[in-house]
Amino acid sequence: EAQVTQNPRYLITVTGKKLTVTCSQNMNHEYMSWYRQDPGLGLRQIYYSMNVEVTDKGDVPEGYKVSRKEKRNFPLILESPSPNQTSLYFCASSWDSGNTIYFGEGSWLTVV
Amino acid sequence: QKEVEQNSGPLSVPEGAIASLNCTYSDRGSQSFFWYRQYSGKSPELIMSIYSNGDKEDGRFTAQLNKASQYVSLLIRDSQPSDSATYLCAGVSEYGNKLVFGAGTILRVKS
């Protein structure tokens, strides 16, 4: 079954404690991206990757890091989380940015 | 200015009516557009994609694209309560490197 898997699905953490949200896809897609979704603001892109070792900033990259060492994985790293990073996060993949995007189930992150 | 604009709603329609959802975009170079449906707390799911001017129909859904007016719409015929959700419009940027989403329109279909 084609899918994008992200973990954890739910997390409550404290300010400043580094965390990583993992993302893995089994469709051999080249394009992967991370979005955050906040009420009234819709989906905003954090980072995207067009292939292995190729990453670039989206619209709201501050406070986040990513890496793409393998085609299937695209982890999102919060080095020092702050309360304004409390949000619903989605990982997504596609053949390229102009094709159908497949979303993971979302990760609810709360930073206190 | 947001690159993809949608009326946040909520748009309320009675069951069986036609729901009309609208979206405008500012990037004249955008070529591909998508409509996603998102239920509360769930991930977005693709309903329609449209790349050319005109209409594209798929079952009860019709997407319309007018590049001259920079306007995309989604019509839902015979609306059902199960269509109640947030509808996200998205367009691919001119350089083809990212998909930009609107904030979404909440649709409520009342039985």
Side-chain angles (χ1 to χ4, degrees), chain A residues 58-78:
Chain A
D59 297 317
V60 288
E62 295 78 19
Y64 305 95
K65 285 175 57 177
V66 293
S67 67
R68 188 90 182 272
K69 293 183 170 54
E70 306 166 279
K71 200 171 191 178
R72 64 183 291 126
N73 296 322
F74 190 45
L76 179 69
I77 303 159
L78 285 75

Side-chain angles (χ1 to χ4, degrees), chain A residues 31 37 48 59 97-98 101 104, chain B residues 34 36 38 43 96-99:
Chain A
Y31 187 91
Q37 187 171 37
Y48 64 93
D59 297 317
S97 62
I101 281 189
Chain B
F34 303 85
Y36 284 83
Q38 186 178 26
S43 57
N97 59 346
K98 63 178 182 178
L99 191 61

Side-chain angles (χ1 to χ4, degrees), chain A residues 9 31 35 37 40-43 45 48 50 58-59 88 90 97-106 108, chain B residues 2-3 32 34 36 38 41-46 49 51 88 92 95-104:
Chain A
R9 295 286 319 283
Y31 187 91
Y35 295 86
Q37 187 171 37
L41 297 177
L43 283 161
Q45 192 178 54
Y48 64 93
M50 302 190 81
D59 297 317
L88 173 59
F90 288 104
S97 62
N99 272 285
T100 302
I101 281 189
Y102 295 84
F103 286 90
E105 292 187 312
W108 292 89
Chain B
K2 234 179 137 34
E3 296 176 43
S32 307
F34 303 85
Y36 284 83
Q38 186 178 26
K42 302 295 185 182
S43 57
E45 54 181 333
L46 181 72
S49 59
Y51 307 102
L88 302 169
V92 178
Y95 300 105
N97 59 346
K98 63 178 182 178
L99 191 61
V100 179
F101 284 86

Side-chain angles (χ1 to χ4, degrees), chain A residues 13-83:
Chain A
T13 190
V14 296
T15 299
K17 185 177 180 181
K18 180 180 178 179
L19 70 93
T20 299
V21 187
T22 63
C23 175
S24 181
Q25 50 95 2
N26 64 358
M27 295 168 278
N28 203 35
H29 285 163
E30 294 189 345
Y31 187 91
M32 297 186 74
S33 55
W34 276 102
Y35 295 86
R36 62 177 289 175
Q37 187 171 37
D38 303 288
L41 297 177
L43 283 161
R44 294 181 293 167
Q45 192 178 54
I46 303 171
Y47 268 94
Y48 64 93
S49 170
M50 302 190 81
N51 214 323
V52 175
E53 302 292 0
V54 180
T55 63
D56 207 347
K57 296 177 180 178
D59 297 317
V60 288
E62 295 78 19
Y64 305 95
K65 285 175 57 177
V66 293
S67 67
R68 188 90 182 272
K69 293 183 170 54
E70 306 166 279
K71 200 171 191 178
R72 64 183 291 126
N73 296 322
F74 190 45
L76 179 69
I77 303 159
L78 285 75
E79 293 272 3
S80 182
S82 62

